[in-house]
Amino acid sequence: MFGLLATVVVFLIVTLLRRRTGRTENVDGLLIEQQRRIRARNDRTSYSSAAVHHSQLNGTDPPRH
């Protein structure tokens, strides 16, 4: 039982170490990665706790009591 567990652990470690870093080599891929990073940063800013809890009501939302 311990041998099987050790084999699985070694297999997972080897698999993770052999993985590529996932970086893109061509210009199109780099531009896509840049756009996604910018979108993620903007989303983190727009949907942060402070932004959500301190936003103005737009007039159509019912007031919260």
Side-chain angles (χ1 to χ4, degrees):
M1 186 68 157
F2 181 72
L4 178 64
L5 180 62
T7 304
V8 170
V9 169
V10 169
F11 175 75
L12 291 174
I13 289 172
V14 169
T15 302
L16 290 174
L17 291 176
R18 291 184 64 199
R19 258 190 199 175
R20 292 186 48 193
T21 58
R23 298 197 69 130
T24 306
E25 305 272 335
N26 60 20
V27 175
D28 293 331
L30 292 174
L31 290 174
I32 291 170
E33 286 181 13
Q34 182 182 23
Q35 290 170 350
R36 288 184 180 167
R37 270 196 319 274
I38 291 169
R39 179 186 282 169
R41 184 181 63 215
N42 291 339
D43 287 347
R44 282 193 299 273
T45 303
S46 298
Y47 300 113
S48 70
S49 179
V52 170
H53 293 295
H54 299 297
S55 64
Q56 297 289 330
L57 295 176
N58 61 10
T60 60
D61 295 335
R64 296 182 200 167
H65 295 287

